[in-house]
Amino acid sequence: MNAWNRRTFLQGLGGAALALPWLESLSLAAPSTTAPTRMAHFYVPIGVVRRGFFPGEADHVIPKGNLGNVMQSLGQQDPNFSVRPLDQLTPTLQPLEAIKHKVTLLTGMDRVFQQGTDVHAQCASCYLSSARPYTVQGTAWPLQRTLDHVVADQIGKATPFATLEFSCNSHRDNKESIYFDNISWYGTGHLAPSIRDPRQMYRRLFSTSEISRYREVTGLVLEDARSLQQQLGSTDRQKFAEYFESIRAIEKQMARLEKMRAELAQTPFEEPTDAYLPRGDYIRLMGDLMVVALQTGLTRVATFMVGPERWDTPYMFDGLFDKPRSHHQMSHNQTREIDDLLKIDRFHMEQFAYLVQRLDAIEEADGTTLLDNTLFTYGSGLGDGSTHQYNDLPIIVAGGGRHVRTGQHLNLPEGTPLANLWLTQAKLLGLPLQEFADSTGTIPDWVVR
Amino acid sequence: MPPAGKTRWYPSGLLVLILVLVWLPVRRGLTQEPASWSPGLVRGIQTYCLDCHDATTAEAGLDLTALLQGPPAGRADSLRQVLDALDFREMPPVDAPQPTAAERAEWIQTLRQALQHLAPTVAYPPTPIRRMNRFQYNNAVTDLFELQCVVFTLPERMMRDHSGYFQPQSGRMPDVVTVGSRPLGKSQMIERRLAGVAAFPQDLRAEHGFDNQADHLSLSPLLMEAFLKLGESITQSPDFVPRNVGIWKRFFAPPAGSADTSEVLTGRLRPFLTRAFRRPVDSETLQRYVGYVQGQLAEDVPFPEAMKNVAAAVIASPRFLYLYDRADSGTATGTVDDFELASRLSFFLWGSLPDEQLLELAERQTLSQPHVLREEAVRMLQDRRLKRFCDSFPAQWLQLERIISATPSRELFPDFYYLKYRDSMHMMLEPLLLFETVLIENLPVTHFLDADFSYRSNLLEEAYGELASNPQAVNQPGGQVGPLKFRRVALTDRRTGGLITNAAVMTMTSGTERTKPITRGAWIASVIFNHPPQPPPADVPPLAEHPSGAEQDLTLRERIAAHRQRSDCRGCHEKIDPLGFALENYDVIGRWRDRYENERPVDMSGSLFRQHEFQSVVEFKDALLSEKDRFSRGLAAHLLSFALARKLGAADQAAVDHIVERTAEDGDRLQTMILEVVLSPPFAAKSPGRLDGGGDARFEPAGPQARPSVRQVSPPQTLEQP
């Protein structure tokens, strides 16, 4: 029997890893006195039960059945902009109690659905891009290069990994569409595959043994790539650029990893085993890996899907229910399942709160915490799993205290695109953007200048 | 927009000008005058179409006003849409005024002719450069090294052959076969393979398409890394030993002591690289690889190890990993060269690299001669490597992966579950065996609609109940879970037999508690007629599994009728619902029923394409058979799309028509259809785009939609560092 469990892994993290600095001297980043800003996204599938999540909606009507054709809130939201202190937390938000002063709740933001695909497919895959409807040619989705990659194009050059994609989709069937299962895309129709297996993620982050052999092989095959490229037509040439980019990304990553190897080798991280982990432990282990990657500078940009959209196959929510359950199917039956759905919402929030606190427990060289330097966003592509609404989305940004005023509840004016938040984040991360996707501006009264 | 009323004449004058300009080049390209509309067709469009499809209404995105002018240049796809809607009797809607049968027939004829005239002006859609999918990669590596085991086990290769039954050269399937279900059977994923090699993720099937579709197969850094690791893990596997590697002696074994190393390496690497890259290798490339091995040998790496390392590099080279058409070869009219043709052929029928014979014929430039091409295709259809075609095309065509996740309610269908397994393990093999039999025995494709035989296990016979081939003999022990024995059984009851009424298809198109006629109808429309419906609007909720209190006494048909009251849903449902309701006599797990649980009788009656009334499943099958050319057309289009790794466009339609005609002339035989696909013009056509002269464009951004402008691309020098 293998005695390994998540706790021994965490001891490794809790001990040596907590002391790990941002490995700045070893990265290619320009030396600076302040810790760099990171961005991470925690995606929650299938919306939330509004009564449990949103302030002031506790008495709103419970959606009955699958209200797929409603696509908007059943109850009234305040259409006006307001800023309030975040003091009294709603039941679903309770796990954040201890850290609420470092959190911003943002309500009232919307997206626009582009007719022609499944609601769930678009709500996840286009969450981080949400291009203006019908502007992207040749695809049913308003999907472009997603925020994480756009940001990493700018700030991911100096880290071994430009971005990292985590997923806690533990399904082994490939039954459902890739559009339910990915929030991170290199571009239209070109997904950035996520890693679901903690062991695979561990190896990706920490294993460096193959570096020199890669070098020789890539050197050899790159010549083939160059000669092949001369024989391709112009359209194919554009697509074939992906080969060079892939090799180049690996080359760079190898170079940076190699530089960090000595430091990382001192941390006694144990490789996770393939033993079954209860769902909460699994999510937190994947989260720990994300935290350590952000902490050490393996990457500055990460996305984290806590589960896939619309998978009808059930899975175990260990500790919540005795039997495997399908979150999606439950969401179509709020009248009967509301208590259990609230448990799931709360469960997801507990995982988020755990990671927020992990980030805040890590002190950086300049005395701030990792959380202060990370824009860590909780969000879902649906405002409610029953109404399938794209408006009034549940969004929380934890951290970023160095840049934004926290401990507040901002209610944004009617019709504020979610992309306004993405634009604001991109600007905070140093991108000189004037607009992103269907943005109309930035989030007011939030950024500290 | 100019203000309305003020300068009205102006835009319409402009429109005329544009029309003239658009027409000019098109007319030049034609040898004959294009078909013009009869007054009847113009009147027909005005009377029956424009209410819903004019510039302001434009339902389904179709504005047909331009059509009044005559065949619209450059809009062959829209014209096809109109033709199909008329041909499949989808339009005008049921409750709208209808043209007479003679009118409809005349218009269909005119539109067909117009499309044929347009065809030479419409280019074939290009198949973009793409990486191999993991199934092709697996086969190609196996063939390159002549491996005696698989590289890694693929669940998408659904049916495992345990008895060596698959002998296409015999032209006959044995009466008894032993097969296994890789995805659902016990231990069926365990087979001789290379240890320590991890598969990369499964490539998913495109919607209404195949997992080899070019636009789906891209390469991310993560996947590139996986490919690099994979190449190495293959040659470093403890099972990569002489016993398992057919080319060991010719390639990996140390040469006799006195031999000149450079000569040996050149002599070994030239055929190896030619095979791996599917065309002769130039001397510069050859020297690079030779030099790499020499470098290794100089560092005292043992000979076999150095060869393993170079082999690992070769299978990470883009010339191996990518499938592509060169822009600087073939003819100016857009025909592939003989090597590209060899690759098309082998990836179509063998899912892998061309063999030496194909490469030799390509070298001699004779492969493209029609009689040679035909002979080669015939040879390939007799080769056991044809199993790869049977491991990929039929399961994907039939969307059979859906059976894997079908889980009927345990309470309602306890018989579906046995031991720790499910009946679907047996079910999924039945349609695959039918496909292989029709292919190997070269039977008419109409067997897919209605066959007088099937292959069934004892368990499957029992599961079918009254639809068993011999209902008296069903109670034999049959709960096998690993290798399964299937027997060829004669079917006299026409309620069963063929693909559509298979237990597998009936089960995978049902919900957990009730049948889903609309899902079944959509399956028939997509798979059988290659005419998939538009996806439903997102804002329409699905029908609940359980009837609500008020619905308890309704039949499913009544519930669905009550459910879809929106007028914009009706068009599609008028098309797919009758196809699905026709199968209502088959329950959630494919058993026969005359009545629903609430004792209401099943009403399956309807009409096919609003033409063939049916009152029973047998009549439905007769209706399908009377429309067998439509099915044949659907299958031919699926095959051509699979062969070309792309969706078909308007330019391909004439070829599909021709394939169907030729196949029908030869008794609708499946092998004939495949040969006609190989001999069709699009199979030899390519449109790889312009070959840009000079300039290093490799880091140019791929266009606005591929990369936002903020993306900054590093100069190429970073790559050159080894």
Side-chain angles (χ1 to χ4, degrees):
Chain A
M1 283 302 289
N2 199 322
W4 186 89
N5 61 28
R6 189 179 149 268
R7 217 160 271 120
T8 57
F9 181 82
L10 286 184
Q11 280 160 9
L13 285 173
L18 278 181
L20 259 188
W22 169 259
L23 299 174
E24 188 170 38
S25 57
L26 299 165
S27 76
L28 305 180
S32 67
T33 48
T34 53
T37 309
R38 286 80 142 185
M39 180 177 82
H41 288 273
F42 185 94
Y43 184 83
V44 179
I46 317 171
V48 294
V49 176
R50 298 195 64 87
R51 287 163 55 108
F53 187 97
F54 289 93
E57 296 195 26
D59 301 325
H60 281 194
V61 59
I62 302 174
K64 197 173 170 179
N66 173 9
L67 302 179
N69 54 346
V70 173
M71 293 199 79
Q72 58 183 338
S73 298
L74 299 181
Q76 269 293 309
Q77 278 87 26
D78 182 358
N80 301 313
F81 180 64
S82 66
V83 183
R84 295 190 182 83
L86 187 65
D87 43 19
Q88 201 65 26
L89 294 183
T90 55
T92 299
L93 265 49
Q94 297 277 317
L96 292 166
E97 182 63 36
I99 195 81
K100 65 182 180 188
H101 59 290
K102 291 204 173 186
V103 159
T104 311
L105 171 66
L106 297 121
T107 54
M109 285 188 292
D110 308 338
R111 293 170 51 203
V112 181
F113 176 70
Q114 174 172 319
Q115 188 78 26
T117 77
D118 181 278
V119 260
H120 287 280
Q122 202 175 116
C123 87
S125 62
C126 305
Y127 171 74
L128 287 177
S129 65
S130 272
R132 262 173 242 287
Y134 310 107
T135 54
V136 186
Q137 294 299 305
T139 163
W141 286 267
L143 195 167
Q144 281 184 321
R145 195 171 178 83
T146 48
L147 178 70
D148 50 333
H149 297 290
V150 171
V151 165
D153 288 338
Q154 179 93 355
I155 70 165
K157 289 182 189 149
T159 52
F161 303 98
T163 60
L164 287 171
E165 290 80 25
F166 295 77
S167 165
C168 296
N169 175 0
S170 56
H171 288 300
R172 294 192 183 251
D173 57 37
N174 263 331
K175 186 186 152 203
E176 307 285 3
S177 156
I178 52 175
Y179 289 92
F180 297 148
D181 197 21
N182 291 281
I183 55 170
S184 179
W185 297 73
Y186 295 123
T188 308
H190 187 188
L191 72 92
S194 55
I195 294 183
R196 307 168 171 192
D197 173 0
R199 287 208 303 171
Q200 202 191 340
M201 185 55 91
Y202 176 90
R203 287 180 193 150
R204 183 160 169 75
L205 297 182
F206 303 117
S207 162
T208 55
S209 57
E210 299 95 343
I211 292 179
S212 60
R213 250 196 305 224
Y214 277 174
R215 290 256 163 79
E216 290 187 359
V217 171
T218 52
L220 189 59
V221 298
L222 271 174
E223 287 302 323
D224 283 347
R226 288 197 184 95
S227 61
L228 169 57
Q229 190 193 39
Q230 301 305 316
Q231 296 164 343
L232 297 176
S234 46
T235 325
D236 278 350
R237 229 178 245 217
Q238 287 175 358
K239 182 164 183 218
F240 187 60
E242 73 185 14
Y243 185 86
F244 289 99
E245 282 178 36
S246 297
I247 293 266
R248 192 160 47 94
I250 295 169
E251 287 273 327
K252 285 189 167 176
Q253 172 195 325
M254 289 298 143
R256 292 169 198 150
L257 261 183
E258 206 167 32
K259 288 187 178 170
M260 291 174 73
R261 175 167 53 181
E263 299 291 317
L264 287 169
Q266 291 166 14
T267 59
F269 294 172
E270 275 183 61
E271 183 169 327
T273 71
D274 58 358
Y276 176 81
L277 287 176
R279 186 147 188 86
D281 284 4
Y282 165 48
I283 293 169
R284 290 191 296 275
L285 173 55
M286 289 298 273
D288 289 337
L289 286 163
M290 178 175 80
V291 170
V292 108
L294 292 170
Q295 173 191 358
T296 56
L298 283 164
T299 192
R300 285 174 65 184
V301 181
T303 55
F304 193 102
M305 270 188 104
V306 78
E309 281 293 334
R310 225 211 81 162
W311 229 269
D312 279 335
T313 326
Y315 55 49
M316 273 306 287
F317 288 87
D318 307 81
L320 296 190
F321 316 117
D322 297 338
K323 281 198 205 159
R325 303 288 294 270
S326 163
H327 184 188
H328 174 238
Q329 296 196 340
M330 291 164 72
S331 75
H332 288 186
N333 214 333
Q334 260 191 52
T335 32
R336 195 173 72 196
E337 305 277 6
I338 190 160
D339 292 341
D340 284 352
L341 279 165
L342 283 167
K343 279 186 198 163
I344 290 182
D345 290 350
R346 172 111 180 185
F347 171 78
H348 287 152
M349 189 61 72
E350 281 164 3
Q351 311 314 316
F352 178 67
Y354 165 82
L355 290 173
V356 173
Q357 283 168 303
R358 293 267 311 129
L359 290 168
D360 200 40
I362 292 166
E363 194 173 316
E364 304 224 68
D366 61 359
T368 57
T369 73
L370 181 53
L371 182 63
D372 298 332
N373 299 303
T374 304
L375 291 161
F376 186 31
T377 308
Y378 164 109
S380 181
L382 290 181
D384 178 303
S386 169
T387 59
H388 294 81
Q389 66 193 70
Y390 273 48
N391 65 332
D392 295 315
L393 301 169
I395 306 287
I396 298 166
V397 178
R402 191 191 273 291
H403 302 288
V404 296
R405 242 174 249 125
T406 57
Q408 300 190 120
H409 169 200
L410 303 185
N411 183 52
L412 292 148
E414 185 76 36
T416 303
L418 177 63
N420 285 12
L421 177 61
W422 300 159
L423 177 65
T424 310
Q425 296 196 350
K427 283 166 107 72
L428 287 174
L429 288 155
L431 271 72
L433 294 186
Q434 293 311 308
E435 57 175 20
F436 176 78
D438 59 351
S439 69
T440 57
T442 52
I443 303 293
D445 281 6
W446 189 41
V447 176
V448 188
R449 279 280 174 231
Chain B
M1 284 282 285
K6 198 172 166 195
T7 49
R8 263 177 95 146
W9 57 272
Y10 186 71
S12 63
L14 197 64
L15 184 70
V16 170
L17 186 66
I18 289 170
L19 278 174
V20 169
L21 289 175
V22 166
W23 268 97
L24 281 175
V26 175
R27 292 173 65 103
R28 258 206 307 274
L30 290 174
T31 48
Q32 290 166 283
E33 285 298 302
S36 58
W37 296 157
S38 63
L41 177 51
V42 174
R43 221 173 23 250
I45 295 169
Q46 282 166 335
T47 314
Y48 300 111
C49 308
L50 294 190
D51 268 2
C52 304
H53 298 289
D54 70 2
T56 44
T57 51
E59 278 192 21
L62 268 187
D63 167 15
L64 299 182
T65 35
L67 202 61
L68 293 169
Q69 316 292 326
R75 288 190 55 197
D77 285 304
S78 311
L79 204 56
R80 183 88 226 170
Q81 222 178 326
V82 174
L83 171 58
D84 281 346
L86 281 171
D87 194 18
F88 282 96
R89 303 285 194 286
E90 291 165 12
M91 288 288 149
V94 174
D95 50 6
Q98 300 289 320
T100 66
E103 281 175 322
R104 190 188 286 271
E106 185 221 307
W107 300 344
I108 289 172
Q109 183 63 20
T110 311
L111 289 171
R112 264 212 186 106
Q113 278 167 3
L115 263 177
Q116 270 163 18
H117 280 287
L118 283 177
T121 67
V122 184
Y124 292 115
T127 300
I129 186 171
R130 63 214 179 269
R131 62 168 174 80
M132 290 184 200
N133 65 25
R134 73 173 190 175
F135 175 73
Q136 294 164 334
Y137 178 90
N138 203 320
N139 296 333
V141 166
T142 305
D143 291 351
L144 183 63
F145 295 121
E146 296 176 15
L147 293 179
Q148 303 301 306
C149 56
V150 298
V151 181
F152 37 74
T153 297
L154 302 174
E156 60 263 40
R157 292 174 60 217
M158 288 183 182
M159 186 161 65
R160 190 163 164 183
D161 178 357
H162 284 284
S163 56
Y165 72 84
F166 191 87
Q167 303 291 345
Q169 78 290 353
S170 71
R172 173 79 195 155
M173 281 278 276
D175 287 338
V176 180
V177 299
T178 309
V179 288
S181 159
R182 278 199 183 79
L184 290 177
K186 183 180 185 185
S187 305
Q188 295 304 293
M189 293 278 283
I190 303 174
E191 54 194 320
R192 274 191 63 205
R193 61 185 184 94
L194 296 177
V197 175
F200 55 92
Q202 182 173 355
D203 300 294
L204 300 184
R205 188 170 59 76
E207 205 172 15
H208 311 304
F210 301 95
D211 70 358
N212 66 355
Q213 216 85 86
D215 48 0
H216 271 224
L217 293 170
S218 54
L219 186 74
S220 64
L222 191 57
L223 201 57
M224 183 64 224
E225 206 184 323
F227 273 117
L228 286 175
K229 278 202 185 124
L230 192 58
E232 202 177 79
S233 67
I234 287 169
T235 52
Q236 293 301 320
S237 166
D239 298 312
F240 200 86
V241 291
R243 180 168 46 87
N244 282 333
V245 179
I247 64 161
W248 188 273
K249 273 196 188 137
R250 273 175 287 151
F251 191 75
F252 295 101
S258 58
D260 174 69
T261 320
S262 161
E263 229 166 78
V264 168
L265 291 178
T266 311
R268 290 187 182 193
L269 277 164
R270 186 190 297 279
F272 183 77
L273 289 169
T274 302
R275 183 84 197 279
F277 298 166
R278 287 99 63 191
R279 60 191 315 135
V281 61
D282 62 66
S283 61
E284 194 192 327
T285 306
L286 180 60
Q287 276 318 306
R288 201 165 53 244
Y289 281 93
V290 169
Y292 173 79
V293 182
Q294 281 172 329
Q296 300 242 311
L297 294 174
E299 287 171 26
D300 288 333
V301 176
F303 188 89
E305 283 305 307
M307 293 307 273
K308 280 186 185 179
N309 291 341
V310 78
V314 168
I315 57 178
S317 166
R319 288 195 180 273
F320 175 76
L321 278 183
Y322 277 86
L323 303 176
Y324 56 91
D325 296 324
R326 281 168 58 163
D328 62 346
S329 69
T331 67
T333 53
T335 312
V336 291
D337 71 18
D338 280 57
F339 289 104
E340 286 160 351
L341 188 60
S343 280
R344 277 208 185 166
L345 204 50
S346 67
F347 278 94
F348 174 35
L349 294 178
W350 290 347
S352 181
L353 311 172
D355 65 356
E356 275 162 27
Q357 181 166 329
L358 287 171
L359 289 173
E360 253 175 57
L361 290 168
E363 178 84 61
R364 280 191 253 135
Q365 299 190 6
T366 53
L367 183 60
S368 48
Q369 294 169 10
H371 71 279
V372 179
L373 187 57
R374 174 184 286 273
E375 269 169 34
E376 281 308 293
V378 168
R379 174 177 75 89
M380 294 174 78
L381 286 170
Q382 315 256 311
D383 189 288
R384 286 199 64 191
R385 277 170 283 191
L386 185 65
K387 182 70 171 141
R388 277 101 172 251
F389 175 75
C390 295
D391 277 345
S392 46
F393 177 78
Q396 296 186 41
W397 168 45
L398 300 174
Q399 308 178 355
L400 212 51
E401 80 280 354
R402 292 164 65 178
I403 191 74
I404 296 168
S405 39
T407 49
S409 154
R410 268 173 187 275
E411 284 87 59
L412 297 177
F413 305 99
D415 294 349
F416 186 78
Y417 299 87
Y418 72 104
L419 303 172
K420 276 186 196 154
Y421 294 90
R422 300 183 236 156
D423 283 3
S424 39
M425 176 202 308
H426 295 248
M427 290 175 175
M428 66 192 298
L429 303 177
E430 189 185 14
L432 293 175
L433 283 165
L434 179 64
F435 184 90
E436 291 186 351
T437 309
V438 171
L439 178 59
I440 289 180
E441 301 188 357
N442 199 13
L443 301 173
V445 295
T446 46
H447 278 72
F448 295 140
L449 301 175
D450 187 23
D452 59 359
F453 73 90
S454 184
Y455 280 85
R456 287 185 184 164
S457 64
N458 288 344
L459 179 138
L460 197 50
E461 280 277 88
E462 202 179 325
Y464 269 116
E466 70 169 284
L467 294 175
S469 66
N470 182 359
Q472 274 75 49
V474 293
N475 281 318
Q476 300 170 22
Q480 294 167 305
V481 295
L484 316 170
K485 195 172 278 185
F486 273 63
R487 284 188 182 75
R488 189 165 180 145
V489 295
L491 301 177
T492 48
D493 184 345
R494 285 188 64 215
R495 294 178 300 168
T496 190
L499 292 173
I500 298 170
T501 55
N502 254 235
V505 174
M506 293 298 91
T507 304
M508 75 190 199
T509 53
S510 294
T512 56
E513 296 180 10
R514 64 165 178 88
T515 53
K516 292 190 164 173
I518 297 168
T519 304
R520 288 176 173 180
W523 183 90
I524 293 184
S526 312
V527 173
I528 298 299
F529 295 115
N530 190 32
H531 192 51
Q534 297 291 311
D539 53 352
V540 178
L543 195 65
E545 288 274 339
H546 287 295
S548 68
E551 291 179 329
Q552 290 291 353
D553 296 327
L554 301 182
T555 66
L556 194 51
R557 190 191 287 262
E558 288 160 351
R559 282 178 66 202
I560 288 175
H563 173 75
R564 57 157 172 95
Q565 285 156 347
R566 282 171 49 157
S567 67
D568 57 335
C569 297
R570 283 219 318 272
C572 246
H573 281 280
E574 280 167 3
K575 159 180 157 188
I576 56 175
D577 290 3
L579 300 172
F581 278 113
L583 302 170
E584 269 297 273
N585 283 121
Y586 304 88
D587 75 2
V588 167
I589 56 173
R591 294 174 309 193
W592 187 262
R593 62 180 176 192
D594 288 310
R595 289 176 182 280
Y596 290 106
E597 295 85 75
N598 64 8
E599 291 304 315
R600 297 282 305 268
V602 169
D603 170 18
M604 56 69 66
S605 63
S607 79
L608 181 66
F609 307 133
R610 295 201 220 154
Q611 266 184 306
H612 312 279
E613 303 288 331
F614 52 79
Q615 299 290 333
S616 69
V617 166
V618 174
E619 287 177 18
F620 177 61
K621 282 190 174 173
D622 284 334
L624 291 171
L625 285 171
S626 70
E627 293 283 353
K628 60 112 179 152
D629 280 352
R630 279 186 212 272
F631 162 64
S632 208
R633 201 173 192 291
L635 178 57
H638 280 295
L639 280 167
L640 188 61
S641 169
F642 179 74
L644 299 176
R646 61 165 170 83
K647 284 185 186 160
L648 301 189
D652 299 300
Q653 302 305 329
V656 174
D657 288 334
H658 187 71
I659 294 167
V660 173
E661 267 167 44
R662 296 299 301 265
T663 308
E665 283 163 21
D666 192 33
D668 295 310
R669 290 167 192 278
L670 180 54
Q671 288 192 13
T672 306
M673 183 178 279
I674 290 172
L675 291 177
E676 291 300 330
V677 166
V678 168
L679 293 167
S680 71
F683 193 80
K686 67 174 174 185
S687 6
R690 197 162 47 89
L691 179 71
D692 288 337
D696 188 347
R698 67 171 173 260
F699 291 116
E700 289 299 309
Q705 79 275 35
R707 275 181 235 142
S709 54
V710 289
R711 181 168 173 76
Q712 294 181 0
V713 182
S714 305
Q717 294 88 277
T718 48
L719 272 177
E720 328 263 328
Q721 296 159 359

